[in-house]
Amino acid sequence: GAAAAKAAARRRAAQSKAKSSTHLWAGGMAAVAVVGVVVGWFRQPAPPAVAQAPALRVQCDEDSYNPRVDGCSPDWCFREVVTDFASPEEVAALASLADSGMSIGGGGSGPVSIFDMTSGAVSHGSQFLSAFDLLSQAGRSLNQTQLDTFQAVVDRVGERVKQMMGLTTLYPASPSFFSRIESGKPAKQLNDEYWHPHVDTRQYGSFIYTSLLYLNTNQDQYEGGEFVFTDTPKQPGSTLRPRAGMLLMFTSGEENPHHIQRVTSGVRYAVTISWTCNEKAANTRRF
């Protein structure tokens, strides 16, 4: 009746609002490729796990960072892994926030589901809805304690990037999103094909530094899905495995092409937190 018609109208409005964010996922599920991570730097076979891998310097692709921004653009490029960056309590709060957000849209039609914390775009079959609009229309909100945890972790990651690189300026970028990859589901659209190699500066434009926090553990909650830095003429590749609470950071340019191997069983979670030097592209939303 009338109630059903009003609900349908709200869904159509939210879907229309979310279309402006859909292009972020076109061309392959790029940042989900950053979902895989890290027990240590290794080529197969893997050596014993390490508590922390010092930043590995790689030769920058200078064209990836033009025009340069003083105090923000990288003077050197890198890959770094930090285990136990997030506490078990933080990981649990973020995983719950991811599931809460994705439940608003019902999840993707294929293996990949997304909840973008900058735009509110959330997977709804083969499309995206605006989770923030739907919550507002329903008079509901996400758990504030979990949102506070998300914001605190984002701020801590940003400070680590700034300190390591000696930056005076750094802006949160868009998208910054939770991703869930489920095994056993065939790809239904290009967004579902998370295994293709890609470069973040080309995929997203504004990315300068990429950081990934992992919310569950490879060979525990899921199999497959290893993260792979692809070989380049200047740098050999690396294959990495994830653990809950681990942080992977790297410069987003051509020096760090990457992809993830297919998840063969279970479900894996991560959150991508991106950074830019372009103030006009900065994400100003805080929770």
Side-chain angles (χ1 to χ4, degrees):
K6 289 181 180 178
R10 286 196 297 268
R11 287 194 298 271
R12 287 194 296 271
Q15 183 172 323
S16 177
K17 178 72 174 292
K19 283 183 178 178
S20 62
S21 299
T22 303
H23 73 280
L24 297 173
W25 319 110
M29 188 45 223
V32 171
V34 270
V35 161
V37 150
V38 175
V39 105
W41 300 106
F42 57 83
R43 309 247 346 191
Q44 297 292 347
V50 296
Q52 181 166 328
L56 173 68
R57 292 198 179 210
V58 296
Q59 186 172 342
C60 290
D61 175 79
E62 297 297 338
D63 290 341
S64 294
Y65 304 104
N66 288 324
R68 291 187 57 81
V69 177
D70 289 343
C72 186
S73 298
D75 292 324
W76 53 282
C77 292
F78 73 97
R79 305 166 184 173
E80 186 187 37
V81 177
V82 184
T83 62
D84 300 324
F85 180 84
S87 70
E89 293 77 16
E90 288 174 323
V91 168
L94 294 177
S96 182
L97 179 59
D99 276 335
S100 295
M102 291 177 194
S103 70
I104 297 168
S109 58
V112 175
S113 296
I114 293 298
F115 176 36
D116 180 19
M117 295 296 288
T118 57
S119 69
V122 63
S123 297
H124 175 68
S126 61
Q127 301 173 318
F128 289 92
L129 300 177
S130 171
F132 296 156
D133 281 0
L134 288 172
L135 286 168
S136 177
Q137 291 162 12
R140 298 169 50 208
S141 60
L142 295 168
N143 182 286
Q144 189 58 52
T145 299
Q146 294 170 3
L147 292 172
D148 291 344
T149 299
F150 175 80
Q151 190 63 63
V153 168
V154 169
D155 291 345
R156 206 160 75 236
V157 173
E159 283 304 311
R160 186 174 185 90
V161 175
K162 289 178 69 175
Q163 290 175 11
M164 184 174 70
M165 300 301 290
L167 309 180
T168 57
T169 302
L170 187 66
Y171 304 103
S174 179
S176 284
F177 60 93
F178 290 102
S179 56
R180 180 177 70 201
I181 303 179
E182 301 176 67
S183 64
K185 289 187 173 183
K188 297 293 185 66
Q189 54 184 333
L190 193 58
N191 294 344
D192 291 326
E193 297 180 10
Y194 56 86
W195 48 83
H196 296 300
H198 70 279
V199 172
D200 286 352
T201 50
R202 276 193 274 135
Q203 186 70 31
Y204 295 108
S206 65
F207 280 30
I208 300 298
Y209 304 96
T210 301
S211 50
L212 302 312
L213 181 67
Y214 298 88
L215 304 181
N216 62 351
T217 298
N218 176 265
Q219 298 184 345
D220 187 355
Q221 284 87 24
Y222 60 91
E223 300 285 342
E226 290 82 3
F227 179 96
V228 179
F229 280 115
T230 310
D231 286 334
T232 72
K234 298 178 181 178
Q235 181 67 40
S238 304
T239 300
L240 314 165
R241 290 185 297 176
R243 282 177 52 188
M246 224 173 241
L247 180 71
L248 170 66
M249 303 190 300
F250 53 93
T251 44
S252 306
E254 299 278 348
E255 68 280 353
N256 282 322
H258 53 276
H259 67 279
I260 97 170
Q261 296 174 352
R262 301 190 192 212
V263 176
T264 57
S265 68
V267 181
R268 55 179 283 160
Y269 288 83
V271 56
T272 298
I273 303 169
S274 54
W275 306 95
T276 186
C277 295
N278 182 352
E279 186 174 8
K280 293 181 179 179
N283 163 41
T284 59
R285 182 185 294 275
R286 292 185 64 84
F287 296 97

